[in-house]
Amino acid sequence: MVYVILSGNIEFCASISDEIRQKITDWNSVDYKLYDHFYKKMKKIISEQDQDFHNEVAMLKKINADFSKECYEKVFPVYNGNKIGYSLRASHETNSTCKTLATDDVTQTHVIGLRQFKDKLPPSDILMVRNHMQNLKKHNPAMLDWADVYKVLHPDNAVPEKNEL
């Protein structure tokens, strides 16, 4: 399983005062208790695993690190540090796997919806997704291009007209 980290802000979390942290915990007490329970349960299950399990986890982490080094040249914060963007290595500018993994979940959901309902969606919805993707692309150059999505939506006409870009 290969993944790319797209969100996280350790600096922001570290800057939260103890008073604010306690308020957040109080407001979300049920969520916090659920999270804490299953986090402890997961840690217990992991600690009970044999060495083969831990070797596999280490191997997957290495594969993921190698994949990231292969695909991405630069990692940088976007959206006040809450999201992470990437730039592709020149040798991988057309690699759809690298691009797809660097694309955020909201955009992925939009693209899946376009693929499933392309004949039923009004042009305004398609335009909204295109504009969303073009705006995000400014901050995360490694993500999918509208042209990549267009190829899937229009396989017989894989080159979009200028007004469709």
Side-chain angles (χ1 to χ4, degrees):
M1 174 186 347
V2 179
Y3 64 92
V4 174
I5 296 172
L6 295 174
S7 64
N9 191 338
I10 295 169
E11 292 171 15
F12 176 75
C13 292
S15 69
I16 296 174
S17 70
D18 290 340
E19 179 183 347
I20 297 295
R21 189 178 308 277
Q22 187 58 49
K23 282 184 181 181
I24 292 169
T25 302
D26 292 344
W27 289 335
N28 300 298
S29 63
V30 174
D31 292 334
Y32 181 80
K33 287 175 185 173
L34 274 170
Y35 174 84
D36 192 49
H37 168 76
F38 285 106
Y39 182 78
K40 287 176 182 173
K41 185 175 181 175
M42 177 191 70
K43 286 296 194 184
K44 183 178 182 291
I45 291 169
I46 290 172
S47 71
E48 295 169 349
Q49 300 303 307
D50 63 9
Q51 190 57 44
D52 285 344
F53 172 85
H54 295 285
N55 291 343
E56 285 183 35
V57 170
M59 181 183 66
L60 288 170
K61 286 181 178 181
K62 182 183 180 328
I63 289 169
N64 199 63
D66 292 347
F67 178 84
S68 288
K69 286 177 192 172
E70 179 73 23
C71 281
Y72 309 114
E73 187 170 68
K74 184 177 166 188
V75 179
F76 47 89
V78 295
Y79 297 131
N80 297 324
N82 291 328
K83 296 283 184 186
I84 298 170
Y86 297 88
S87 61
L88 289 168
R89 293 196 178 279
S91 60
H92 287 75
E93 287 178 358
T94 60
N95 185 315
S96 63
T97 302
C98 294
K99 288 179 167 188
T100 300
L101 286 172
T103 302
D104 67 288
D105 56 336
V106 173
T107 304
Q108 291 276 11
T109 303
H110 288 321
V111 170
I112 291 167
L114 285 176
R115 288 176 181 163
Q116 289 178 338
F117 306 109
K118 68 180 181 179
D119 298 330
K120 297 176 183 161
L121 291 173
S124 60
D125 285 7
I126 296 169
L127 183 63
M128 183 269 309
V129 172
R130 185 201 70 184
N131 291 343
H132 168 80
M133 290 180 71
Q134 288 175 337
N135 187 43
L136 286 180
K137 186 81 173 162
K138 296 173 194 171
H139 303 289
N140 186 3
M143 68 178 273
L144 287 170
D145 295 311
W146 176 249
D148 298 322
V149 176
Y150 189 92
K151 289 176 196 172
V152 173
L153 297 176
H154 305 283
D156 298 332
N157 184 14
V159 180
E161 300 292 325
K162 285 192 177 193
N163 63 345
E164 294 176 309
L165 283 175

